[in-house]
Amino acid sequence: MRTFYHDNQPGDCRLPHDSGHELSPEHLTHLGVLYYSFPPSSPTSATDVEDIAKTRNYVNRDEITVSPAAMGAVYEDKIKMFYDEHMHEDEEIRYILQGAGYFDVRDAQDKWVRIKVEQGDLLILPAGIYHRFTVNEDNYINAVRLFKTEPKWAALNRGEDTDANKLREEYLKLRPQGFPDQMS
């Protein structure tokens, strides 16, 4: 995983958009984002992921492949949809099995923080954080998605109604003081 400020330059979202301003993992912690590294080749990775699932009460999972081959004609539309700024009312948990991509999250100054994820990275975004996602230039990522309830992906695009969402407001209250319930 690498974390840096997005350069906010126009162009294909799949490009690195690296501003050159690297950020520490602690920057993510202040935003409520949790990160773990469990290389799939490690004999303990499956157990490590399962331990996090149990600790955080994730009871369901599925696997998603985002690529032109896997998605066919809808691929470019899906990339655009994933890249629209949104939030979820549940945590977003992704364990990267293959490939690479970028999660962009908003920080306290409303700046985009770009998180490059690759094989073995497990990322947990808190409910209520504005974010977006894209694959990198290789146009391929395969990930396990973990869920506390039935598998679902319900995005709430940023707007006045979403700004007033109860979980968004709870997220904003927790951000300055930290996320004690997210420490695991």
Side-chain angles (χ1 to χ4, degrees):
M1 178 206 58
R2 264 191 74 234
T3 306
F4 48 91
Y5 278 120
H6 191 286
D7 66 9
N8 294 315
Q9 296 300 310
D12 191 331
C13 63
R14 293 167 275 211
L15 296 174
H17 288 281
D18 189 341
S19 67
H21 187 142
E22 195 93 10
L23 298 167
S24 70
E26 290 75 33
H27 193 86
L28 293 180
T29 303
H30 293 297
L31 301 175
V33 175
L34 299 177
Y35 166 78
Y36 303 88
S37 178
F38 302 127
S41 59
S42 169
T44 64
S45 285
T47 303
D48 294 335
V49 172
E50 191 57 37
D51 287 347
I52 286 182
K54 286 179 184 173
T55 300
R56 301 188 70 77
N57 300 313
Y58 304 144
V59 296
N60 283 304
R61 65 191 70 198
D62 68 10
E63 194 171 315
I64 185 170
T65 299
V66 179
S67 73
M71 297 181 145
V74 301
Y75 175 73
E76 290 296 331
D77 289 338
K78 288 288 186 183
I79 290 296
K80 288 175 187 165
M81 181 183 74
F82 295 152
Y83 204 65
D84 283 338
E85 184 174 4
H86 63 277
M87 61 159 265
H88 302 288
E89 293 182 328
D90 298 309
E91 290 181 336
E92 182 162 335
I93 310 95
R94 300 294 181 265
Y95 175 52
I96 311 305
L97 299 173
Q98 296 177 328
Y102 302 105
F103 281 90
D104 297 338
V105 298
R106 290 284 189 184
D107 72 3
Q109 290 76 44
D110 214 31
K111 293 167 75 173
W112 282 119
V113 172
R114 180 153 267 206
I115 307 162
K116 180 180 183 183
V117 291
E118 302 174 288
Q119 184 180 49
D121 291 339
L122 187 145
L123 196 66
I124 303 172
L125 304 182
I129 192 171
Y130 282 129
H131 65 282
R132 59 191 183 189
F133 170 78
T134 187
V135 294
N136 70 2
E137 312 90 301
D138 294 333
N139 288 303
Y140 181 85
I141 197 163
N142 174 241
V144 172
R145 303 185 303 176
L146 298 144
F147 303 92
K148 290 188 176 185
T149 59
E150 290 301 313
K152 64 181 177 181
W153 190 87
L156 303 172
N157 288 343
R158 188 170 187 173
E160 287 182 25
D161 289 345
T162 311
D163 286 343
N165 179 287
K166 178 182 156 195
L167 288 164
R168 174 68 182 163
E169 289 176 346
E170 286 176 17
Y171 169 76
L172 292 174
K173 285 179 193 170
L174 282 173
R175 191 172 59 197
Q177 61 198 29
F179 295 82
D181 64 323
Q182 293 205 358
M183 300 304 170
S184 55

